[in-house]
Amino acid sequence: MSRVLATTPPTQRQPLPHQLDPARLPAHVAVIMDGNGRWARRRGLPRVMGHRAGVEALKRTLRLCSDWGIGALTAYAFSTENWSRPGEEVSFLMTLFERVLERELEALEREQVRIRFLGDLEQLPVGLQSLIDEATSRTAANVGIRFNVCTNYGGRAELVRAARRLAERVSRGELDPQAIDEERFASELHTVGEVDPDLLIRTSGEQRISNFLLWQLAYAELHITDVLWPDFDAGALVAALKDFQGRNRRFGGVQTPP
Ligand code: FPP
């Protein structure tokens, strides 16, 4: 065995738990990773330690989704509203994102993950922007799970941006307003090229959408769990997927016969 293979053993793939039907998995799972601060407080730790543990939960979830054949995972890492948090917490999060990207890029490449960052990235620290550019381009040709990290993302801002971009095309005479349909509109969203999420998971029991993927979640099934994000594990993901598989998705139509 070569030295390289000896030092980097292939990661063990987790089989799909028998309770889940492989034919009825969501193609795209979105997650609102809530409860990091409460997780830390309950342990007498600073809030930021909850974010650190949250990164581990996200890595776990990404690996499980990838192993189980889910096509895409989209995570809400930092919203346009999160800038209003204490300055120290915001800079901790920006540094954390940089460190995670630096540390995990090789593993993402090796595991065939395609990473993309969705949001207004120009407002992020320049060092983080260049790491994002590097991670995006180095993983763009990968063929595995699509991993979308919503960073400085807001659903309303995304819709306003799309409307403005279309209006600019109309005013330049490049686009007939009559040609604006749902498909054309969706092509101006950050998620262009991605299928809409089938399942939205929100942790920590809060029952809100919080300005996340307002357009894309139109027909998603919602699973809200009391589990705090850093505790989100294989059992919690199986519970969410079982809940999803028990739903009857009608997309506004009538119940389909069995
Ligand atoms: C919400 O918990 C969580 C966040 C705002 C940050 C989540 C970010 C990560 C887990 C890191 C992802 C990193 C990369 C680069 C992929 P909260 O602080 O709102 O918790 P609380 O509601 O209990 O206060």
Side-chain angles (χ1 to χ4, degrees), residues 88-99:
E88 273 178 25
E89 182 170 340
V90 170
S91 40
F92 179 91
L93 280 168
M94 294 301 146
T95 308
L96 182 70
F97 296 163
E98 289 183 15
R99 299 257 159 84

Side-chain angles (χ1 to χ4, degrees), residues 13-237:
R13 284 179 77 91
Q14 297 290 317
L16 185 72
H18 64 272
Q19 309 96 297
L20 296 173
D21 177 353
R24 290 172 51 241
L25 286 169
H28 181 177
V29 174
V31 278
I32 300 180
M33 309 180 287
D34 200 10
N36 292 351
R38 276 162 284 171
W39 182 92
R41 202 169 56 234
R42 284 180 196 174
R43 285 164 176 75
L45 297 168
R47 287 178 54 79
V48 294
M49 296 305 283
H51 297 317
R52 238 185 225 167
V55 171
E56 295 310 309
L58 184 55
K59 283 164 58 182
R60 217 162 37 228
T61 305
L62 176 64
R63 186 157 291 133
L64 288 169
C65 287
S66 166
D67 286 356
W68 295 348
I70 290 168
L73 175 70
T74 298
Y76 205 4
F78 193 88
S79 74
T80 44
E81 290 72 36
N82 286 154
W83 295 108
S84 66
R85 291 186 174 213
E88 273 178 25
E89 182 170 340
V90 170
S91 40
F92 179 91
L93 280 168
M94 294 301 146
T95 308
L96 182 70
F97 296 163
E98 289 183 15
R99 299 257 159 84
V100 170
L101 268 184
E102 275 168 343
R103 205 175 56 213
E104 303 296 334
L105 183 52
E106 271 184 34
L108 294 172
E109 284 188 293
R110 192 171 59 238
E111 294 180 28
Q112 288 297 314
V113 175
R114 264 173 287 181
I115 195 168
R116 269 208 298 170
F117 285 78
L118 313 182
D120 183 359
L121 306 180
E122 285 171 15
Q123 307 295 319
L124 299 174
V126 284
L128 178 56
Q129 287 187 47
S130 52
L131 284 165
I132 287 175
D133 287 347
E134 187 184 353
T136 309
S137 59
R138 273 172 57 180
T139 64
N142 284 353
V143 295
I145 190 167
R146 302 179 302 283
F147 179 35
N148 306 308
V149 185
C150 293
T151 314
N152 195 24
Y153 174 89
R156 286 186 174 180
E158 180 186 38
L159 294 173
V160 168
R161 174 181 173 269
R164 191 185 307 117
R165 286 159 66 102
L166 289 168
E168 283 165 359
R169 289 214 188 140
V170 170
S171 72
R172 286 198 299 265
E174 295 166 9
L175 180 65
D176 175 357
Q178 296 307 317
I180 301 175
D181 55 11
E182 291 185 10
E183 197 182 332
R184 177 69 69 125
F185 195 88
S187 74
E188 298 294 343
L189 300 174
H190 294 301
T191 46
V192 56
E194 185 56 272
V195 296
D196 287 344
D198 305 293
L199 170 64
L200 170 69
I201 300 171
R202 180 165 190 153
T203 55
S204 92
E206 307 289 349
Q207 307 197 8
R208 289 187 291 276
I209 297 288
S210 298
N211 203 16
F212 189 42
L213 301 176
L214 296 179
W215 172 280
Q216 299 86 342
L217 291 173
Y219 286 102
E221 297 295 327
L222 309 185
H223 174 84
I224 293 169
T225 171
D226 287 335
V227 171
L228 302 178
W229 177 251
D231 291 328
F232 195 83
D233 59 6
L237 183 58

